[in-house]
């Protein structure tokens, strides 16, 4: 059995003069919809993906372990291990979805207590 790979070449298009982010519509052009689909795909993923929790925590711990010689902060693996739980808690809180609705004052007070270390 022979494997054949197909390459599809989409011809260049003209931009719409009224809306420069769109392509000019040409009647009977089979690639009109392809360009629209490509544009929608590109604009729907405008936000960069967030690193996984483990990678974010590891990056922060590595920064503490390495220290910062320019600012006079020595390398300190002990401090990194002590702050591990705090870093995990902060990174998990960043992942929690926001809540909009009634009782906002009470939830805000609870959130502030959690940040200060009280429950």
């Amino acid at each position: 059995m022979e494997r054949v790979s197909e390459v599809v070449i989409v011809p260049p298009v003209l931009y719409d003069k009224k809306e420069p982010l769109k392509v000019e519509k040409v009647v009977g052009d089979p690639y009109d919809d392809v360009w629209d689909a490509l544009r929608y795909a590109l604009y729907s993923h405008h936000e960069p993906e967030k690193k996984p929790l483990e990678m974010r925590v590891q990056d922060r711990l590595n920064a503490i372990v390495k220290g910062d010689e320019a600012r006079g902060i020595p390398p300190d693996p002990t401090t990194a291990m002590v702050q591990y739980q705090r870093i995990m808690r902060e990174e998990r809180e960043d992942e929690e979805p926001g809540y909009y609705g009634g009782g906002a004052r009470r939830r805000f007070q609870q959130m502030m207590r959690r940040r200060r270390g009280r429950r």
Side-chain angles (χ1 to χ4, degrees), residues 9-70:
I9 299 173
V10 180
V13 294
L14 298 173
Y15 289 101
D16 192 356
K17 291 178 178 109
K18 294 177 185 174
E19 296 181 59
L21 295 178
K22 293 184 178 179
V23 296
E24 192 173 295
K25 291 291 181 188
V26 178
V27 178
D29 185 11
Y31 293 110
D32 261 358
D33 295 331
V34 173
W35 283 107
D36 284 338
L38 178 63
R39 182 172 58 91
Y40 292 139
L42 289 175
Y43 284 112
S44 66
H45 297 287
H46 64 279
E47 202 171 288
E49 190 172 321
K50 198 172 186 180
K51 283 184 180 178
L53 174 68
E54 294 81 17
M55 288 179 71
R56 292 193 317 261
V57 170
Q58 189 64 43
D59 289 345
R60 289 181 65 182
L61 289 175
N62 286 341
I64 295 171
V65 169
K66 290 179 185 175
D68 190 356
E69 299 293 329

Side-chain angles (χ1 to χ4, degrees), residues 64-104:
I64 295 171
V65 169
K66 290 179 185 175
D68 190 356
E69 299 293 329
R71 294 186 347 196
I73 300 172
D76 193 2
T78 305
T79 302
M81 289 310 297
V82 170
Q83 293 189 8
Y84 171 75
Q85 291 297 322
R86 180 184 59 84
I87 292 171
M88 282 293 285
R89 184 179 67 244
E90 288 173 358
E91 291 295 333
R92 281 193 181 126
E93 284 177 0
D94 287 345
E95 287 186 343
E96 289 179 8
Y99 179 80
Y100 301 100

